[in-house]
Amino acid sequence: EDCKEKMYDALRSSNFSTEINECYLDLPAFCTTSIYVEEEEPEKKGFNGLLFRALAPAEYAIELGKDGKVVCLFREIPMTAQAIWDRWGAEAGEKVKKTVTENPFEKFTVFHGVFPKAWFGGKHKTQLPFASYYVIEEGKKKLQEGGYHEFPFMTIPWLRGTGENYGRGPGF
């Protein structure tokens, strides 16, 4: 009972309602939708809350595992120089650093990939089951390497045909 209340509190105090609404709007039109969940940036010791992000339909590509569940997602994220610098600092490189002072709203493309650690020979720093990489297109520079205990994307098809990764439905 206590666990259930803590989970409800975490969802109520997050942005879940607004982000899932975006998914509900995308699902009938595009027949597949995805939402990303992660813990809020650490401000204090312990749990800091949940952060959800609905993904735009053209932003990501998925791959299914042997059980038919999504196990891999690559996404393309347009981000301002300032947002990149705020998140990764000097890891972003000189071009982003210079752009932050000249035009902080200039956009760059960041790629994020999450996939099973066992892929590519399992040669990743993470000891977690899912590897995660953020790479900035400018200079093909790795911004962050990490991992997840569980796959952080919930991807929902309207209906899926045999052998298909993406959904079918009213919009397709």
Short mmCIF file of all heavy atoms in Angstrom, two decimals, residues 100-169:
data_model
loop_
_atom_site.label_atom_id
_atom_site.label_comp_id
_atom_site.label_asym_id
_atom_site.label_seq_id
_atom_site.Cartn_x
_atom_site.Cartn_y
_atom_site.Cartn_z
N VAL A 100 27.65 29.49 -27.64
CA VAL A 100 26.89 29.91 -26.45
C VAL A 100 27.08 31.40 -26.20
O VAL A 100 26.13 32.10 -25.85
CB VAL A 100 27.31 29.08 -25.21
CG1 VAL A 100 26.83 29.72 -23.92
CG2 VAL A 100 26.78 27.67 -25.31
N THR A 101 28.29 31.92 -26.41
CA THR A 101 28.54 33.34 -26.17
C THR A 101 28.05 34.22 -27.32
O THR A 101 27.64 35.35 -27.10
CB THR A 101 30.04 33.61 -25.93
OG1 THR A 101 30.78 33.18 -27.06
CG2 THR A 101 30.52 32.91 -24.69
N GLU A 102 28.04 33.68 -28.56
CA GLU A 102 27.65 34.48 -29.72
C GLU A 102 26.17 34.38 -30.06
O GLU A 102 25.55 35.36 -30.44
CB GLU A 102 28.48 34.05 -30.94
CG GLU A 102 29.96 34.35 -30.78
CD GLU A 102 30.79 33.78 -31.90
OE1 GLU A 102 30.23 33.12 -32.82
OE2 GLU A 102 32.02 33.97 -31.88
N ASN A 103 25.62 33.17 -29.98
CA ASN A 103 24.21 32.95 -30.34
C ASN A 103 23.71 31.72 -29.58
O ASN A 103 23.66 30.63 -30.15
CB ASN A 103 24.07 32.75 -31.84
CG ASN A 103 22.62 32.55 -32.26
OD1 ASN A 103 21.71 32.68 -31.46
ND2 ASN A 103 22.42 32.23 -33.53
N PRO A 104 23.35 31.85 -28.31
CA PRO A 104 23.00 30.70 -27.48
C PRO A 104 21.78 29.91 -27.97
O PRO A 104 21.59 28.77 -27.58
CB PRO A 104 22.74 31.30 -26.10
CG PRO A 104 22.50 32.74 -26.34
CD PRO A 104 23.24 33.11 -27.59
N PHE A 105 20.99 30.52 -28.87
CA PHE A 105 19.79 29.83 -29.36
C PHE A 105 20.01 29.10 -30.68
O PHE A 105 19.08 28.51 -31.22
CB PHE A 105 18.63 30.82 -29.48
CG PHE A 105 18.29 31.44 -28.16
CD1 PHE A 105 18.59 32.77 -27.91
CD2 PHE A 105 17.71 30.69 -27.14
CE1 PHE A 105 18.31 33.34 -26.68
CE2 PHE A 105 17.43 31.25 -25.91
CZ PHE A 105 17.72 32.58 -25.67
N GLU A 106 21.24 29.12 -31.19
CA GLU A 106 21.54 28.36 -32.40
C GLU A 106 21.36 26.87 -32.10
O GLU A 106 21.77 26.38 -31.06
CB GLU A 106 22.96 28.64 -32.88
CG GLU A 106 23.28 27.94 -34.20
CD GLU A 106 24.66 28.27 -34.73
OE1 GLU A 106 25.13 29.41 -34.52
OE2 GLU A 106 25.27 27.38 -35.35
N LYS A 107 20.76 26.16 -33.05
CA LYS A 107 20.45 24.74 -32.85
C LYS A 107 21.57 23.83 -33.34
O LYS A 107 22.21 24.11 -34.36
CB LYS A 107 19.16 24.36 -33.59
CG LYS A 107 17.93 25.07 -33.10
CD LYS A 107 17.25 24.27 -32.05
CE LYS A 107 15.93 24.95 -31.69
NZ LYS A 107 15.08 24.15 -30.92
N PHE A 108 21.76 22.77 -32.60
CA PHE A 108 22.66 21.68 -32.97
C PHE A 108 21.85 20.39 -32.90
O PHE A 108 20.79 20.36 -32.27
CB PHE A 108 23.84 21.58 -31.99
CG PHE A 108 24.83 22.69 -32.12
CD1 PHE A 108 24.64 23.89 -31.45
CD2 PHE A 108 25.97 22.53 -32.89
CE1 PHE A 108 25.56 24.92 -31.56
CE2 PHE A 108 26.90 23.55 -33.00
CZ PHE A 108 26.69 24.75 -32.33
N THR A 109 22.35 19.35 -33.51
CA THR A 109 21.68 18.05 -33.44
C THR A 109 22.46 17.12 -32.53
O THR A 109 23.66 16.95 -32.69
CB THR A 109 21.56 17.43 -34.85
OG1 THR A 109 20.80 18.32 -35.67
CG2 THR A 109 20.85 16.09 -34.79
N VAL A 110 21.74 16.54 -31.58
CA VAL A 110 22.30 15.56 -30.67
C VAL A 110 21.58 14.24 -30.93
O VAL A 110 20.36 14.21 -31.08
CB VAL A 110 22.12 15.98 -29.20
CG1 VAL A 110 22.57 14.88 -28.25
CG2 VAL A 110 22.89 17.27 -28.92
N PHE A 111 22.35 13.17 -31.04
CA PHE A 111 21.76 11.83 -31.22
C PHE A 111 21.84 11.08 -29.89
O PHE A 111 22.84 11.17 -29.19
CB PHE A 111 22.52 11.05 -32.30
CG PHE A 111 22.46 11.71 -33.65
CD1 PHE A 111 23.53 12.45 -34.12
CD2 PHE A 111 21.32 11.60 -34.43
CE1 PHE A 111 23.47 13.07 -35.36
CE2 PHE A 111 21.25 12.21 -35.66
CZ PHE A 111 22.33 12.94 -36.14
N HIS A 112 20.78 10.36 -29.58
CA HIS A 112 20.76 9.53 -28.37
C HIS A 112 20.37 8.12 -28.78
O HIS A 112 19.36 7.93 -29.46
CB HIS A 112 19.73 10.09 -27.37
CG HIS A 112 19.67 9.33 -26.09
ND1 HIS A 112 18.53 9.29 -25.31
CD2 HIS A 112 20.59 8.59 -25.42
CE1 HIS A 112 18.77 8.56 -24.23
NE2 HIS A 112 20.00 8.12 -24.29
N GLY A 113 21.16 7.16 -28.39
CA GLY A 113 20.87 5.76 -28.68
C GLY A 113 20.86 4.94 -27.40
O GLY A 113 21.73 5.11 -26.55
N VAL A 114 19.86 4.09 -27.26
CA VAL A 114 19.78 3.16 -26.14
C VAL A 114 19.52 1.78 -26.71
O VAL A 114 18.60 1.61 -27.52
CB VAL A 114 18.65 3.55 -25.15
CG1 VAL A 114 18.55 2.53 -24.02
CG2 VAL A 114 18.87 4.94 -24.60
N PHE A 115 20.33 0.81 -26.31
CA PHE A 115 20.23 -0.54 -26.87
C PHE A 115 20.81 -1.53 -25.87
O PHE A 115 21.53 -1.14 -24.95
CB PHE A 115 20.95 -0.62 -28.22
CG PHE A 115 22.34 -0.05 -28.18
CD1 PHE A 115 23.42 -0.84 -27.82
CD2 PHE A 115 22.57 1.29 -28.49
CE1 PHE A 115 24.70 -0.32 -27.78
CE2 PHE A 115 23.85 1.81 -28.45
CZ PHE A 115 24.92 1.01 -28.09
N PRO A 116 20.51 -2.82 -26.06
CA PRO A 116 21.05 -3.82 -25.12
C PRO A 116 22.57 -3.81 -25.10
O PRO A 116 23.23 -3.72 -26.15
CB PRO A 116 20.53 -5.15 -25.68
CG PRO A 116 19.33 -4.78 -26.47
CD PRO A 116 19.62 -3.43 -27.05
N LYS A 117 23.12 -3.90 -23.92
CA LYS A 117 24.58 -3.89 -23.74
C LYS A 117 25.24 -5.01 -24.55
O LYS A 117 26.36 -4.85 -25.04
CB LYS A 117 24.92 -4.04 -22.26
CG LYS A 117 26.38 -4.08 -21.98
CD LYS A 117 26.63 -4.37 -20.53
CE LYS A 117 28.09 -4.72 -20.35
NZ LYS A 117 28.36 -5.32 -19.08
N ALA A 118 24.55 -6.12 -24.70
CA ALA A 118 25.11 -7.27 -25.40
C ALA A 118 25.38 -6.98 -26.89
O ALA A 118 26.20 -7.64 -27.51
CB ALA A 118 24.18 -8.47 -25.27
N TRP A 119 24.69 -5.99 -27.45
CA TRP A 119 24.91 -5.66 -28.85
C TRP A 119 26.33 -5.14 -29.04
O TRP A 119 26.93 -4.60 -28.14
CB TRP A 119 23.92 -4.62 -29.32
CG TRP A 119 22.53 -5.14 -29.47
CD1 TRP A 119 22.00 -6.30 -28.98
CD2 TRP A 119 21.47 -4.48 -30.14
NE1 TRP A 119 20.69 -6.41 -29.31
CE2 TRP A 119 20.32 -5.30 -30.03
CE3 TRP A 119 21.35 -3.28 -30.83
CZ2 TRP A 119 19.10 -4.97 -30.58
CZ3 TRP A 119 20.12 -2.95 -31.37
CH2 TRP A 119 19.02 -3.79 -31.25
N PHE A 120 26.85 -5.26 -30.21
CA PHE A 120 28.19 -4.79 -30.55
C PHE A 120 29.24 -5.42 -29.64
O PHE A 120 30.20 -4.78 -29.25
CB PHE A 120 28.26 -3.26 -30.51
CG PHE A 120 27.20 -2.58 -31.32
CD1 PHE A 120 26.14 -1.94 -30.71
CD2 PHE A 120 27.25 -2.60 -32.71
CE1 PHE A 120 25.14 -1.34 -31.46
CE2 PHE A 120 26.26 -2.00 -33.46
CZ PHE A 120 25.20 -1.37 -32.84
N GLY A 121 29.03 -6.66 -29.27
CA GLY A 121 30.00 -7.40 -28.47
C GLY A 121 30.02 -7.04 -27.00
O GLY A 121 30.89 -7.49 -26.27
N GLY A 122 29.09 -6.22 -26.54
CA GLY A 122 29.03 -5.86 -25.13
C GLY A 122 30.20 -5.02 -24.66
O GLY A 122 30.49 -4.96 -23.47
N LYS A 123 30.90 -4.37 -25.59
CA LYS A 123 32.10 -3.59 -25.24
C LYS A 123 31.71 -2.16 -24.87
O LYS A 123 31.99 -1.22 -25.61
CB LYS A 123 33.09 -3.61 -26.39
CG LYS A 123 33.59 -5.00 -26.70
CD LYS A 123 34.48 -5.00 -27.91
CE LYS A 123 34.88 -6.44 -28.21
NZ LYS A 123 35.54 -6.59 -29.47
N HIS A 124 31.07 -2.02 -23.73
CA HIS A 124 30.64 -0.71 -23.25
C HIS A 124 31.08 -0.55 -21.80
O HIS A 124 31.22 -1.54 -21.08
CB HIS A 124 29.11 -0.58 -23.35
CG HIS A 124 28.58 -0.92 -24.69
ND1 HIS A 124 28.70 -0.09 -25.78
CD2 HIS A 124 27.96 -2.04 -25.15
CE1 HIS A 124 28.16 -0.68 -26.83
NE2 HIS A 124 27.70 -1.85 -26.48
N LYS A 125 31.26 0.68 -21.38
CA LYS A 125 31.70 0.94 -20.01
C LYS A 125 30.65 0.53 -18.99
O LYS A 125 30.98 0.16 -17.88
CB LYS A 125 32.03 2.42 -19.84
CG LYS A 125 33.29 2.84 -20.54
CD LYS A 125 33.59 4.30 -20.30
CE LYS A 125 34.83 4.72 -21.05
NZ LYS A 125 35.08 6.14 -20.94
N THR A 126 29.39 0.63 -19.35
CA THR A 126 28.33 0.37 -18.38
C THR A 126 28.24 -1.10 -18.00
O THR A 126 28.50 -1.97 -18.81
CB THR A 126 26.96 0.85 -18.92
OG1 THR A 126 25.99 0.67 -17.89
CG2 THR A 126 26.52 0.08 -20.15
N GLN A 127 27.88 -1.33 -16.77
CA GLN A 127 27.61 -2.69 -16.30
C GLN A 127 26.10 -2.96 -16.30
O GLN A 127 25.66 -4.02 -15.91
CB GLN A 127 28.16 -2.88 -14.88
CG GLN A 127 29.67 -2.73 -14.80
CD GLN A 127 30.40 -3.70 -15.73
OE1 GLN A 127 30.15 -4.89 -15.72
NE2 GLN A 127 31.29 -3.17 -16.55
N LEU A 128 25.33 -1.96 -16.73
CA LEU A 128 23.88 -2.06 -16.75
C LEU A 128 23.41 -2.77 -18.02
O LEU A 128 24.13 -2.80 -19.03
CB LEU A 128 23.27 -0.67 -16.64
CG LEU A 128 23.67 0.11 -15.38
CD1 LEU A 128 23.17 1.54 -15.44
CD2 LEU A 128 23.17 -0.60 -14.13
N PRO A 129 22.21 -3.33 -18.03
CA PRO A 129 21.72 -4.10 -19.18
C PRO A 129 21.55 -3.30 -20.48
O PRO A 129 21.64 -3.86 -21.56
CB PRO A 129 20.38 -4.65 -18.72
CG PRO A 129 20.35 -4.51 -17.25
CD PRO A 129 21.29 -3.42 -16.89
N PHE A 130 21.29 -1.98 -20.36
CA PHE A 130 21.10 -1.16 -21.56
C PHE A 130 22.16 -0.06 -21.62
O PHE A 130 22.32 0.71 -20.68
CB PHE A 130 19.70 -0.53 -21.58
CG PHE A 130 18.62 -1.54 -21.81
CD1 PHE A 130 17.97 -2.13 -20.74
CD2 PHE A 130 18.28 -1.95 -23.09
CE1 PHE A 130 16.98 -3.08 -20.94
CE2 PHE A 130 17.30 -2.90 -23.30
CZ PHE A 130 16.65 -3.47 -22.22
N ALA A 131 22.87 0.01 -22.74
CA ALA A 131 23.87 1.05 -22.96
C ALA A 131 23.19 2.29 -23.52
O ALA A 131 22.17 2.20 -24.22
CB ALA A 131 24.93 0.55 -23.95
N SER A 132 23.75 3.45 -23.22
CA SER A 132 23.19 4.72 -23.67
C SER A 132 24.33 5.63 -24.11
O SER A 132 25.33 5.76 -23.41
CB SER A 132 22.41 5.37 -22.53
OG SER A 132 22.08 6.72 -22.83
N TYR A 133 24.16 6.25 -25.28
CA TYR A 133 25.15 7.20 -25.79
C TYR A 133 24.45 8.46 -26.28
O TYR A 133 23.42 8.38 -26.95
CB TYR A 133 25.92 6.61 -26.98
CG TYR A 133 26.86 5.50 -26.59
CD1 TYR A 133 26.44 4.19 -26.57
CD2 TYR A 133 28.18 5.78 -26.25
CE1 TYR A 133 27.30 3.16 -26.22
CE2 TYR A 133 29.05 4.77 -25.90
CZ TYR A 133 28.60 3.47 -25.88
OH TYR A 133 29.47 2.46 -25.52
N TYR A 134 25.03 9.60 -25.94
CA TYR A 134 24.64 10.88 -26.52
C TYR A 134 25.83 11.34 -27.34
O TYR A 134 26.97 11.37 -26.84
CB TYR A 134 24.36 11.93 -25.44
CG TYR A 134 23.03 11.77 -24.74
CD1 TYR A 134 22.91 10.98 -23.60
CD2 TYR A 134 21.90 12.42 -25.21
CE1 TYR A 134 21.70 10.85 -22.95
CE2 TYR A 134 20.67 12.30 -24.56
CZ TYR A 134 20.59 11.51 -23.43
OH TYR A 134 19.39 11.39 -22.79
N VAL A 135 25.58 11.71 -28.61
CA VAL A 135 26.63 12.16 -29.52
C VAL A 135 26.14 13.42 -30.21
O VAL A 135 25.00 13.47 -30.69
CB VAL A 135 26.95 11.06 -30.58
CG1 VAL A 135 27.97 11.57 -31.58
CG2 VAL A 135 27.42 9.79 -29.90
N ILE A 136 26.99 14.43 -30.27
CA ILE A 136 26.63 15.65 -30.99
C ILE A 136 27.11 15.52 -32.43
O ILE A 136 28.22 15.03 -32.68
CB ILE A 136 27.19 16.91 -30.30
CG1 ILE A 136 26.64 18.18 -30.97
CG2 ILE A 136 28.71 16.90 -30.27
CD1 ILE A 136 26.88 19.44 -30.18
N GLU A 137 26.26 15.90 -33.36
CA GLU A 137 26.60 15.77 -34.78
C GLU A 137 27.83 16.61 -35.13
O GLU A 137 28.69 16.16 -35.88
CB GLU A 137 25.40 16.20 -35.64
CG GLU A 137 25.61 16.00 -37.11
CD GLU A 137 24.38 16.33 -37.92
OE1 GLU A 137 23.64 17.26 -37.55
OE2 GLU A 137 24.15 15.65 -38.94
N GLU A 138 27.91 17.80 -34.58
CA GLU A 138 29.05 18.69 -34.80
C GLU A 138 30.33 18.02 -34.29
O GLU A 138 30.53 17.86 -33.10
CB GLU A 138 28.83 20.02 -34.06
CG GLU A 138 29.98 20.98 -34.14
CD GLU A 138 30.19 21.55 -35.52
OE1 GLU A 138 29.20 21.82 -36.22
OE2 GLU A 138 31.35 21.73 -35.90
N GLY A 139 31.16 17.55 -35.20
CA GLY A 139 32.41 16.91 -34.82
C GLY A 139 32.27 15.46 -34.38
O GLY A 139 33.23 14.84 -33.96
N LYS A 140 31.05 14.93 -34.45
CA LYS A 140 30.79 13.53 -34.06
C LYS A 140 31.40 13.21 -32.69
O LYS A 140 32.05 12.21 -32.48
CB LYS A 140 31.33 12.56 -35.11
CG LYS A 140 31.00 12.95 -36.54
CD LYS A 140 29.83 12.20 -37.07
CE LYS A 140 29.53 12.45 -38.52
NZ LYS A 140 29.15 13.75 -38.92
N LYS A 141 31.17 14.09 -31.74
CA LYS A 141 31.77 14.01 -30.42
C LYS A 141 30.83 13.33 -29.43
O LYS A 141 29.67 13.69 -29.32
CB LYS A 141 32.12 15.41 -29.95
CG LYS A 141 32.87 15.49 -28.65
CD LYS A 141 33.37 16.91 -28.44
CE LYS A 141 34.05 17.14 -27.14
NZ LYS A 141 34.77 16.09 -26.55
N LYS A 142 31.36 12.35 -28.69
CA LYS A 142 30.58 11.67 -27.67
C LYS A 142 30.41 12.61 -26.48
O LYS A 142 31.38 13.09 -25.91
CB LYS A 142 31.25 10.37 -27.24
CG LYS A 142 30.48 9.59 -26.20
CD LYS A 142 31.04 8.21 -25.94
CE LYS A 142 32.49 8.23 -25.62
NZ LYS A 142 33.04 6.94 -25.22
N LEU A 143 29.16 12.87 -26.11
CA LEU A 143 28.87 13.75 -24.98
C LEU A 143 28.74 12.97 -23.68
O LEU A 143 29.14 13.44 -22.62
CB LEU A 143 27.57 14.52 -25.23
CG LEU A 143 27.56 15.47 -26.41
CD1 LEU A 143 26.15 15.98 -26.67
CD2 LEU A 143 28.52 16.62 -26.17
N GLN A 144 28.13 11.81 -23.77
CA GLN A 144 27.85 11.03 -22.56
C GLN A 144 27.72 9.56 -22.90
O GLN A 144 27.11 9.20 -23.91
CB GLN A 144 26.55 11.54 -21.93
CG GLN A 144 26.17 10.89 -20.64
CD GLN A 144 24.86 11.49 -20.10
OE1 GLN A 144 24.46 12.59 -20.45
NE2 GLN A 144 24.21 10.75 -19.23
N GLU A 145 28.27 8.73 -22.06
CA GLU A 145 28.13 7.28 -22.18
C GLU A 145 27.63 6.79 -20.84
O GLU A 145 28.15 7.16 -19.80
CB GLU A 145 29.48 6.65 -22.51
CG GLU A 145 29.45 5.16 -22.63
CD GLU A 145 30.81 4.58 -23.00
OE1 GLU A 145 31.77 5.35 -23.22
OE2 GLU A 145 30.91 3.34 -23.06
N GLY A 146 26.60 5.98 -20.86
CA GLY A 146 26.04 5.48 -19.61
C GLY A 146 25.18 4.26 -19.85
O GLY A 146 25.40 3.53 -20.83
N GLY A 147 24.22 4.08 -19.00
CA GLY A 147 23.35 2.92 -19.15
C GLY A 147 22.13 3.01 -18.27
O GLY A 147 21.97 3.95 -17.48
N TYR A 148 21.27 2.03 -18.43
CA TYR A 148 20.01 1.97 -17.69
C TYR A 148 19.78 0.56 -17.16
O TYR A 148 20.14 -0.42 -17.81
CB TYR A 148 18.83 2.34 -18.60
CG TYR A 148 18.86 3.76 -19.11
CD1 TYR A 148 19.38 4.06 -20.36
CD2 TYR A 148 18.36 4.80 -18.34
CE1 TYR A 148 19.41 5.37 -20.83
CE2 TYR A 148 18.37 6.11 -18.81
CZ TYR A 148 18.90 6.38 -20.06
OH TYR A 148 18.92 7.67 -20.53
N HIS A 149 19.13 0.50 -16.03
CA HIS A 149 18.72 -0.79 -15.47
C HIS A 149 17.59 -1.40 -16.30
O HIS A 149 17.51 -2.61 -16.47
CB HIS A 149 18.22 -0.64 -14.02
CG HIS A 149 19.32 -0.31 -13.07
ND1 HIS A 149 20.17 -1.27 -12.57
CD2 HIS A 149 19.71 0.86 -12.52
CE1 HIS A 149 21.05 -0.71 -11.75
NE2 HIS A 149 20.80 0.59 -11.72
N GLU A 150 16.71 -0.52 -16.81
CA GLU A 150 15.57 -0.94 -17.63
C GLU A 150 15.50 -0.03 -18.85
O GLU A 150 16.00 1.10 -18.82
CB GLU A 150 14.27 -0.83 -16.84
CG GLU A 150 14.22 -1.75 -15.65
CD GLU A 150 12.95 -1.57 -14.83
OE1 GLU A 150 12.02 -0.88 -15.29
OE2 GLU A 150 12.90 -2.11 -13.73
N PHE A 151 14.86 -0.51 -19.90
CA PHE A 151 14.71 0.29 -21.11
C PHE A 151 13.87 1.53 -20.77
O PHE A 151 12.75 1.40 -20.28
CB PHE A 151 14.06 -0.55 -22.21
CG PHE A 151 14.13 0.07 -23.56
CD1 PHE A 151 15.35 0.26 -24.19
CD2 PHE A 151 12.98 0.49 -24.21
CE1 PHE A 151 15.42 0.84 -25.44
CE2 PHE A 151 13.04 1.06 -25.46
CZ PHE A 151 14.26 1.24 -26.08
N PRO A 152 14.38 2.76 -21.01
CA PRO A 152 13.71 3.97 -20.54
C PRO A 152 12.61 4.53 -21.44
O PRO A 152 12.08 5.60 -21.16
CB PRO A 152 14.87 4.96 -20.43
CG PRO A 152 15.77 4.55 -21.54
CD PRO A 152 15.69 3.05 -21.58
N PHE A 153 12.28 3.84 -22.52
CA PHE A 153 11.26 4.32 -23.44
C PHE A 153 10.05 3.38 -23.41
O PHE A 153 10.22 2.17 -23.45
CB PHE A 153 11.79 4.39 -24.87
CG PHE A 153 12.94 5.32 -25.05
CD1 PHE A 153 14.24 4.87 -24.98
CD2 PHE A 153 12.72 6.67 -25.29
CE1 PHE A 153 15.31 5.72 -25.14
CE2 PHE A 153 13.79 7.54 -25.45
CZ PHE A 153 15.09 7.06 -25.38
N MET A 154 8.88 3.97 -23.33
CA MET A 154 7.65 3.19 -23.48
C MET A 154 7.12 3.50 -24.87
O MET A 154 6.75 4.64 -25.15
CB MET A 154 6.64 3.58 -22.39
CG MET A 154 7.12 3.21 -21.00
SD MET A 154 6.00 3.76 -19.72
CE MET A 154 6.64 5.42 -19.44
N THR A 155 7.13 2.52 -25.73
CA THR A 155 6.73 2.71 -27.12
C THR A 155 5.50 1.87 -27.39
O THR A 155 5.49 0.67 -27.12
CB THR A 155 7.89 2.33 -28.07
OG1 THR A 155 9.03 3.11 -27.70
CG2 THR A 155 7.54 2.60 -29.51
N ILE A 156 4.48 2.52 -27.92
CA ILE A 156 3.17 1.88 -28.07
C ILE A 156 2.73 1.93 -29.52
O ILE A 156 2.61 3.02 -30.10
CB ILE A 156 2.12 2.62 -27.21
CG1 ILE A 156 2.61 2.72 -25.77
CG2 ILE A 156 0.76 1.96 -27.30
CD1 ILE A 156 2.32 4.03 -25.13
N PRO A 157 2.48 0.78 -30.15
CA PRO A 157 1.88 0.78 -31.48
C PRO A 157 0.35 0.70 -31.36
O PRO A 157 -0.17 0.15 -30.39
CB PRO A 157 2.42 -0.51 -32.10
CG PRO A 157 2.55 -1.42 -30.93
CD PRO A 157 2.91 -0.55 -29.75
N TRP A 158 -0.36 1.25 -32.33
CA TRP A 158 -1.82 1.10 -32.33
C TRP A 158 -2.13 -0.37 -32.56
O TRP A 158 -2.72 -1.03 -31.73
CB TRP A 158 -2.42 1.98 -33.44
CG TRP A 158 -3.91 2.00 -33.44
CD1 TRP A 158 -4.73 1.03 -33.93
CD2 TRP A 158 -4.76 3.02 -32.94
NE1 TRP A 158 -6.03 1.37 -33.76
CE2 TRP A 158 -6.08 2.61 -33.16
CE3 TRP A 158 -4.54 4.25 -32.35
CZ2 TRP A 158 -7.19 3.39 -32.81
CZ3 TRP A 158 -5.63 5.02 -32.00
CH2 TRP A 158 -6.93 4.59 -32.22
N LEU A 159 -1.71 -0.88 -33.68
CA LEU A 159 -1.73 -2.30 -34.02
C LEU A 159 -0.45 -2.57 -34.79
O LEU A 159 0.03 -1.71 -35.51
CB LEU A 159 -2.91 -2.64 -34.95
CG LEU A 159 -4.32 -2.46 -34.41
CD1 LEU A 159 -5.32 -2.58 -35.55
CD2 LEU A 159 -4.61 -3.49 -33.35
N ARG A 160 0.09 -3.74 -34.65
CA ARG A 160 1.34 -4.04 -35.36
C ARG A 160 1.14 -5.31 -36.17
O ARG A 160 0.73 -6.33 -35.64
CB ARG A 160 2.47 -4.22 -34.36
CG ARG A 160 3.82 -4.27 -35.03
CD ARG A 160 4.97 -4.46 -34.06
NE ARG A 160 5.04 -3.38 -33.10
CZ ARG A 160 5.42 -3.54 -31.84
NH1 ARG A 160 5.77 -4.71 -31.39
NH2 ARG A 160 5.48 -2.52 -31.03
N GLY A 161 1.47 -5.24 -37.45
CA GLY A 161 1.40 -6.41 -38.30
C GLY A 161 2.60 -7.32 -38.06
O GLY A 161 3.64 -6.89 -37.55
N THR A 162 2.47 -8.57 -38.44
CA THR A 162 3.56 -9.53 -38.28
C THR A 162 4.82 -9.03 -38.96
O THR A 162 4.78 -8.62 -40.12
CB THR A 162 3.14 -10.90 -38.88
OG1 THR A 162 1.93 -11.31 -38.25
CG2 THR A 162 4.22 -11.94 -38.66
N GLY A 163 5.92 -9.03 -38.26
CA GLY A 163 7.20 -8.64 -38.80
C GLY A 163 7.40 -7.13 -38.90
O GLY A 163 8.39 -6.69 -39.47
N GLU A 164 6.48 -6.34 -38.38
CA GLU A 164 6.60 -4.88 -38.47
C GLU A 164 7.06 -4.30 -37.14
O GLU A 164 6.68 -4.78 -36.07
CB GLU A 164 5.27 -4.26 -38.86
CG GLU A 164 4.79 -4.65 -40.24
CD GLU A 164 3.46 -4.05 -40.60
OE1 GLU A 164 2.65 -3.73 -39.69
OE2 GLU A 164 3.21 -3.90 -41.80
N ASN A 165 7.85 -3.23 -37.20
CA ASN A 165 8.30 -2.54 -36.00
C ASN A 165 7.33 -1.46 -35.57
O ASN A 165 7.20 -1.17 -34.39
CB ASN A 165 9.67 -1.89 -36.23
CG ASN A 165 10.79 -2.89 -36.23
OD1 ASN A 165 10.57 -4.10 -36.15
ND2 ASN A 165 12.01 -2.41 -36.32
N TYR A 166 6.70 -0.81 -36.53
CA TYR A 166 5.84 0.33 -36.25
C TYR A 166 4.38 -0.07 -36.37
O TYR A 166 4.03 -1.06 -37.01
CB TYR A 166 6.18 1.49 -37.19
CG TYR A 166 7.59 1.97 -37.01
CD1 TYR A 166 8.63 1.45 -37.76
CD2 TYR A 166 7.90 2.91 -36.04
CE1 TYR A 166 9.93 1.85 -37.56
CE2 TYR A 166 9.21 3.32 -35.83
CZ TYR A 166 10.22 2.79 -36.61
OH TYR A 166 11.51 3.20 -36.40
N GLY A 167 3.52 0.76 -35.79
CA GLY A 167 2.11 0.45 -35.76
C GLY A 167 1.36 0.84 -37.02
O GLY A 167 1.83 1.60 -37.85
N ARG A 168 0.16 0.26 -37.10
CA ARG A 168 -0.82 0.62 -38.13
C ARG A 168 -2.07 1.03 -37.41
O ARG A 168 -2.31 0.62 -36.29
CB ARG A 168 -1.16 -0.58 -39.00
CG ARG A 168 -0.06 -1.09 -39.84
CD ARG A 168 -0.55 -2.31 -40.57
NE ARG A 168 0.50 -2.84 -41.42
CZ ARG A 168 0.28 -3.26 -42.64
NH1 ARG A 168 -0.92 -3.22 -43.16
NH2 ARG A 168 1.28 -3.72 -43.37
N GLY A 169 -2.89 1.80 -38.08
CA GLY A 169 -4.13 2.23 -37.44
C GLY A 169 -4.85 3.23 -38.31
O GLY A 169 -4.66 3.28 -39.53
#
